[in-house]
Amino acid sequence: MRQLSRRDFVQSMGSLLALPLLRTEEPETILYNGNIWTVDEAQPRAQAVAMRGGRLLAVGSNDDVLPLATARTRKIDLAFKSVLPGFNDAHAHPVSSGVEQLRKVACDIDSIDKIKAALRVRALKTPPGEWVLGFLYDDGKTPRPINRHDLDEAAPDHPVFVHHRGGHTAFVNSMVLQLGQVSDQTPDPPGGRFEHDAAGHLTGFVGDAGMQLFLKLIPNKNTREDYRRAAASISKLFTSTGVTSACDADATPEDVQGYQDARDAGELGIRAYCHVSARSLDHFMAAGIHTGFGDEWVRIGGVKMYADGSISERTAWLSQPYIGIPNNYVGLQLFSREQLYEIGRKAHAAGWQLATHANGDLAIDRILGVYEQIQKELPKKDPRFRIEHCTLLTDALIHRMRELQVIPAPFSCYVYFHGDVMHYYGEERTQHMFPMRSFLDAGLRPTDSSDYTASPSDPMMWLQSQLTRKDMKGNVWGANQRISLQEAIRCGTSNGAYAAFEEGVKGSLQPGQVADLVVLAQDPFKADPSELLKIQVERTMVGGIWKYES
Ligand SMILES: [Zn+2]
């Protein structure tokens, strides 16, 4: 058994809080008869855990832990179910996706006719001229991409803007193009793209900086209340799949307030580590805040920058052209090297972790160069530079990452969920994409992440995708990058905590850590890797409280 000594407990609770407590070692709750995988190397398997005040006091066998119970201890029989630490979605957009849920039409439907019908229903309830907004659309899941003519038919009297679930591209109708004064002759803006068909006419598909022109025309009607409701509803969604912590990968001040308000209202079910948008950095810096501010529920993370576009939407900046897209198209660059360096250096000097979105090999090369330069100029002992997504690697790039101990935060289920776009990259290139095997072999600590809404925040899907490298149709992409279940679970739990400097707080089931865990209907170690997705999450505990029960 591993047990917290009274002195450890006092330290972990903070001396002010714990000193007046006389019986701090008395468990409030004991879970027993479990098949527990702890992700604690000192004791990988256990049957029982004892907890108090939302933290684990002891982890071990039934015989070791049950005798700690007093008459007041609540004892819960796990009936030999499998238990894992709660999962950490190391890159997601919880509050902003929750706000979208409140306002927008969900377009995660595989039929263009059905999407048109859903948009038409919303248009009928919306005064003409006001915006009809869609989200969660994925052009890989419909027989062909939706276009401006479909959207014109669905809502001829409304501007219609349908966001791709990846967030970097959108599909707009003719009224939106008119409002933005974009015609067939309008050149692409820097870092952006207006797609044309073979005859040179706009299709309504717009990429990255091309969207900004239209986004700024959409009135922001979100209230403070909306952000709180968003944090509450996404907490329910995430805990239902076993996610107990998430890194909000691009939080505005309103988003951070949403987490705080939900927490104050007792509605926050997940722990949030909030990367702050580069454009909001000065607000936070003016208040003297830097990475680590907050507590184990809501904490300020790194500063978020962007080096390129998206993988699922084919705007990542690659050294070799996409397969099947004309004109040797290689994707889009976002922030310039100068911007990345200036913002990065300022933030690094002020105590911020740097977290930069970089998918393509050229984008990763650029940001690594910036990190190398900043660390040389202003050396920091443990900077934990992050590369968000970090999708397409070469051996040389991985070597440079190892030198600097950079943390990759790759997409975990893209092979499974976005297999329909992998042909744009090709079998050869996918052997170097989301390269979990290569990261682990190099001694790096990759996390698991969904980038929700870009893909589902669903740990069982992550594990299946990483173990099999198989898409929904059974195609295999990059079998050389398969990892083991133990490795995948560690990436999704303790590596996520490490990437947020929180390995002392969470990520494994050991005394002193928060009582965040998930109870599964079946044992993943006994399941066929191709069937992990079928394993039901039965219950999710966060801070010693069941936040989800099926
Ligand atoms: Zn993201």
Side-chain angles (χ1 to χ4, degrees):
M1 174 174 66
R2 298 198 67 200
Q3 191 174 1
L4 207 61
S5 70
R6 176 180 290 235
R7 185 201 286 159
D8 290 341
F9 188 73
V10 167
Q11 279 174 353
S12 81
M13 296 296 289
S15 51
L16 269 180
L17 182 62
L19 275 176
L21 300 176
L22 291 175
R23 295 184 57 86
T24 49
E25 70 277 30
E26 178 184 320
E28 288 166 351
T29 306
I30 288 178
L31 311 182
Y32 67 103
N33 279 344
N35 170 17
I36 303 173
W37 180 253
T38 64
V39 191
D40 171 10
E41 268 156 26
Q43 178 182 248
R45 290 213 174 265
Q47 294 173 307
V49 294
M51 60 191 74
R52 179 184 182 88
R55 287 188 182 252
L56 299 171
L57 295 175
V59 179
S61 66
N62 286 338
D63 289 347
D64 286 334
V65 176
L66 279 170
L68 303 175
T70 68
R72 289 182 291 265
T73 303
R74 185 172 60 131
K75 288 186 271 185
I76 299 173
D77 185 346
L78 291 170
F80 307 100
K81 292 279 166 62
S82 285
V83 174
L84 302 174
F87 281 88
N88 190 324
D89 191 338
H91 182 122
H93 300 276
V95 164
S96 61
S97 60
V99 170
E100 290 191 297
Q101 252 180 11
L102 299 174
R103 292 260 184 274
K104 300 185 181 178
V105 179
C107 296
D108 51 343
I109 309 172
D110 59 11
S111 146
I112 287 178
D113 284 339
K114 285 184 185 155
I115 294 171
K116 283 162 71 175
L119 292 168
R120 194 174 301 125
V121 167
R122 177 62 61 92
L124 289 172
K125 293 188 226 157
T126 307
E130 286 192 18
W131 290 77
V132 169
L133 306 172
F135 80 124
L136 289 176
Y137 177 63
D138 184 345
D139 62 342
K141 307 284 184 289
T142 47
R144 61 169 175 80
I146 204 162
N147 61 42
R148 66 188 282 196
H149 307 296
D150 299 313
L151 301 177
D152 287 345
E153 278 170 36
D157 303 320
H158 300 76
V160 182
F161 184 101
V162 175
H163 230 141
H164 191 289
R165 67 181 303 151
H168 286 254
T169 60
F171 300 79
V172 301
N173 72 350
S174 300
M175 194 181 281
V176 172
L177 294 168
Q178 260 168 28
L179 288 170
Q181 298 178 316
V182 174
S183 71
D184 291 345
Q185 285 74 40
T186 308
D188 286 345
R193 178 163 180 247
F194 304 124
E195 190 188 61
H196 295 77
D197 62 21
H201 301 305
L202 291 165
T203 64
F205 179 56
V206 297
D208 285 288
M211 289 192 304
Q212 298 308 322
L213 203 62
F214 310 117
L215 284 172
K216 67 181 187 210
L217 302 175
I218 303 174
N220 181 359
K221 293 185 178 165
N222 300 325
T223 63
R224 179 168 174 179
E225 196 62 2
D226 289 338
Y227 292 95
R228 177 190 60 75
R229 286 168 60 206
S233 83
I234 293 296
S235 290
K236 288 192 180 137
L237 179 72
F238 278 25
T239 50
S240 75
T241 62
V243 172
T244 56
S245 286
C247 170
D248 187 312
D250 197 345
T252 61
E254 292 79 14
D255 294 336
V256 176
Q257 187 164 56
Y259 292 111
Q260 281 289 12
D261 286 348
R263 179 229 185 107
D264 291 347
E267 296 170 339
L268 186 65
I270 55 169
R271 305 176 191 277
Y273 182 69
C274 304
H275 287 342
V276 160
S277 318
R279 63 182 173 279
S280 303
L281 177 64
D282 289 342
H283 292 283
F284 288 91
M285 277 180 62
I289 290 171
H290 59 67
T291 300
F293 181 87
D295 67 8
E296 64 196 39
W297 282 98
V298 183
R299 198 186 294 283
I300 296 297
V303 59
K304 173 71 179 296
M305 303 186 285
Y306 289 86
D308 70 341
S310 131
I311 286 295
S312 62
E313 300 152 273
R314 292 86 69 194
T315 59
W317 181 31
L318 311 175
S319 59
Q320 300 298 318
Y322 284 82
I323 297 170
I325 301 182
N327 305 323
N328 286 328
Y329 168 72
V330 292
L332 301 173
Q333 305 170 38
L334 296 188
F335 291 18
S336 66
R337 191 190 191 284
E338 292 67 33
Q339 283 174 309
L340 294 168
Y341 170 72
E342 272 166 34
I343 300 167
R345 189 186 151 105
K346 176 172 81 171
H348 181 81
W352 289 77
Q353 185 182 29
L354 306 186
T356 308
H357 167 122
N359 271 305
D361 49 349
L362 292 184
I364 294 168
D365 172 60
R366 173 172 282 175
I367 193 59
L368 272 177
V370 169
Y371 287 170
E372 285 158 352
Q373 185 182 349
I374 290 174
Q375 179 67 357
K376 203 166 168 194
E377 292 169 0
L378 301 168
K380 205 183 264 189
K381 194 163 163 265
D382 186 13
R384 300 196 197 181
F385 294 119
R386 294 175 54 138
I387 298 183
E388 306 295 320
H389 313 320
C390 201
T391 302
L392 175 61
L393 276 298
T394 62
D395 290 346
L397 290 171
I398 288 184
H399 179 77
R400 285 165 65 193
M401 287 180 68
R402 181 164 64 180
E403 292 298 296
L404 213 54
Q405 283 298 303
V406 172
I407 296 170
F411 300 114
S412 301
C413 67
Y414 267 32
V415 169
Y416 177 80
F417 189 76
H418 285 303
D420 42 52
V421 295
M422 289 307 141
H423 63 90
Y424 289 107
Y425 301 96
E427 164 56 23
E428 209 291 312
R429 195 157 30 190
T430 53
Q431 291 176 21
H432 308 277
M433 290 171 65
F434 335 106
M436 296 297 281
R437 181 78 270 144
S438 305
F439 286 144
L440 291 171
D441 289 349
L444 296 172
R445 301 198 204 207
T447 62
D448 274 358
S449 78
S450 66
D451 199 17
Y452 184 77
T453 55
S455 74
S457 184
D458 182 345
M460 291 302 125
M461 190 186 289
W462 306 342
L463 301 181
Q464 177 166 325
S465 191
Q466 292 170 330
L467 266 64
T468 65
R469 299 282 297 199
K470 231 186 246 176
D471 69 17
M472 290 180 195
K473 296 190 175 124
N475 303 308
V476 175
W477 302 98
N480 58 317
Q481 294 296 345
R482 284 178 182 146
I483 59 173
S484 73
L485 182 61
Q486 284 184 25
E487 289 169 327
I489 293 171
R490 173 171 294 280
C491 294
T493 55
S494 78
N495 284 9
Y498 181 83
F501 297 93
E502 290 185 302
E503 68 274 19
V505 178
K506 64 189 181 188
S508 63
L509 298 175
Q510 57 177 296
Q513 297 235 327
V514 291
D516 294 0
L517 53 87
V518 48
V519 182
L520 303 174
Q522 289 150 275
D523 184 350
F525 287 95
K526 292 190 179 136
D528 177 340
S530 302
E531 311 233 302
L532 285 166
L533 190 45
K534 292 185 185 155
I535 296 181
Q536 296 280 327
V537 169
E538 292 198 336
R539 310 172 97 181
T540 303
M541 175 177 274
V542 190
I545 294 168
W546 297 115
K547 294 286 186 182
Y548 169 78
E549 294 183 84
S550 62

